[in-house]
Amino acid sequence: MIQKQKGCNDLYGREAKIWKYVDRMIDEVMEKYNYTYIRTPIIEAKELFHRGIGETTDIVSKETYDFVDRGGREITLRPEGTAGVVRSFIENKMYGDPNQPIKVYYNGTMYRYERPQSGRDRELTQFGMEVLGSDDPLTDAEVISLAVNIYKMLGLKEIKVNINTLGDNESRLRYREALVDYFTPHIKEFCEDCQERLKKNPLRILDCKIDKDNAILKNAPKTLEYLNEESRDRFEKVQEYLEVLEVKYEIDPNIVRGLDYYNHTVFEIEAKVEGFGANNVLGGGGRYNGLCEQLGGPKTPCIGFACGIGRLVSALALEKVPLPITEEIDLFLMYVNEEEKKYAAYLSQELRMAGFIVDTEYIGRSLKAQFKQADRLNAKYIAVLNSEDLDRNEIKMKNSKTKEEEIISLDAIIYYLDEKLGMEEEEENHCSHECSGNCCHHDE
Ligand code: HAM
């Protein structure tokens, strides 16, 4: 049997419904913040990521899926969304649009050749957003609050926001020098990669997966001590706006993020749910004011965030968040002979177009087995089409819960279902949790 690749997942059944629900909520919240959807290709020129994310990052040096296509081009499957969005911003001259900043969001598949484990896949789905063309600290705070609000709208409660700043280029340079001075006498105690990183990019030693528990690493200088005044003031402004937006946060001086393009604000959002494990970071992001220029575009300040949807769905399951996932259908139409079958096909289509979830029989089951099937599908109503009723323009509707049966005119079926299902919905909408009626579950 051919099996799926390591670190990849099949999505189907109830879990697929949950993902689609999460996708809808993401669309809804993004729309409220006036972000527009962007879709960029999964395959990009290898150079984009090498130049954008950085040669010395783990993502680029160890985790990309690279190949040469049939035309001899060096291609990489995107490991993240930011570089592609910036490429598209430059290529499509979005910087010339008077409607600045450009606020976009995406939701798609990324590829990282990582060691598969819980919360770490090789094929992963990220949603994310990018604001291109504003350096206002309000955008930093708003991106963080937007991410938090998506989690809140989905019903997650136990989340924690950790922020830090890397400062501007001058501050980063000072910090880099401090790291070199600090690590040089101890570098022999670190892995070979870190010895190389010391020469090329000492910041990357801080997120080394091999040396992460080394005490020397834990006591390394912190970014905040090397900020110039401008960077410090900027970071304070971000915090002021976070307070205005009522986002609770902590400053975590250890956050440096694993991609090279960041400066100023960096942040991660954790799920504080038991069982979530070592990969408890739901999502992360930060400001990347130099990336656009580095990729050949105009100088453009940007900030963004991305979250792995797999991790988000696991957090929802671990927190046991009730989700409005429909596992019921409105009506199951049964039949015995060919004439009734044709009518079932016709009526199913009419009712589906009118907005009802309708199913019927497709594999020649007996009437008894069709009743069982209706049960399995949790049909709220069932109807056995019968030639005599149809000749009289009638249909017998049965409520599966109350077992009540009613013969109605076929002309009235839409009105009938509307009324009956509407009544049931009203009863169900008496929410079982304390939400004063404005939680996401009431929108469905
Ligand atoms: P990142 O921290 O590399 O940032 O990834 C963001 C999120 O993607 C992680 O917090 C995690 O939820 C998810 N993720 C990453 N790798 C995996 C994996 N192997 N399996 C499952 N989930 C994973 C970025 O990608 C940046 N582009 C974020 C950003 C946007 N910065 C600015 N704009």
Side-chain angles (χ1 to χ4, degrees), residues 80 82 112 114 119 121 126 130 257 261-262 282-283 304-305 308:
E80 57 101 54
T82 310
R112 296 187 186 183
E114 296 205 65
D121 298 316
Q126 273 186 350
E130 314 291 345
R257 311 274 301 131
Y261 48 59
Y262 293 113
L282 276 177
F305 165 82

Side-chain angles (χ1 to χ4, degrees), residues 141 144 163 237-247 249:
I144 298 172
I163 64 168
K237 263 281 171 248
V238 172
Q239 293 175 62
E240 274 174 36
Y241 289 129
L242 280 174
E243 270 143 41
V244 169
L245 297 175
E246 298 177 338
V247 176
Y249 64 90

Side-chain angles (χ1 to χ4, degrees), residues 166 172 175 179 197 201-207 223 256:
L166 303 174
R172 268 189 70 147
Y175 183 53
L179 288 177
R197 286 173 184 136
N201 190 351
L203 202 79
R204 292 280 73 87
I205 300 177
L206 299 171
D207 49 39
T223 57
V256 289

Side-chain angles (χ1 to χ4, degrees), residues 53 59 63 79-83 106 110 112 114-115 117 119-130 151 257-259 261-262 267-269 279 281-288 303-312:
I53 298 174
I59 297 183
E63 295 168 6
E80 57 101 54
T82 310
Y106 48 88
M110 316 285 161
R112 296 187 186 183
E114 296 205 65
R115 199 163 61 78
Q117 48 184 294
R120 225 176 253 294
D121 298 316
R122 288 186 173 168
E123 184 180 75
L124 57 131
T125 309
Q126 273 186 350
F127 81 85
M129 63 278 202
E130 314 291 345
Y151 297 138
R257 311 274 301 131
L259 304 94
Y261 48 59
Y262 293 113
F267 65 98
E268 287 180 348
I269 304 181
N279 297 318
V281 177
L282 276 177
R287 183 159 279 286
Y288 51 97
I303 177 138
F305 165 82
C307 164
I309 300 192
R311 290 193 194 175
L312 170 54

Side-chain angles (χ1 to χ4, degrees), residues 213-265:
D213 298 321
N214 188 328
I216 298 168
L217 199 147
K218 285 184 178 158
N219 296 323
K222 306 292 181 235
T223 57
L224 296 175
E225 297 154 27
Y226 298 89
L227 297 179
N228 57 17
E229 202 179 324
E230 220 181 312
S231 301
R232 203 173 307 124
D233 288 351
R234 192 181 189 288
F235 193 43
E236 265 163 32
K237 263 281 171 248
V238 172
Q239 293 175 62
E240 274 174 36
Y241 289 129
L242 280 174
E243 270 143 41
V244 169
L245 297 175
E246 298 177 338
V247 176
K248 288 200 191 97
Y249 64 90
E250 269 178 36
I251 296 176
D252 179 350
N254 294 317
I255 295 179
V256 289
R257 311 274 301 131
L259 304 94
D260 272 355
Y261 48 59
Y262 293 113
N263 46 30
H264 290 294
T265 313

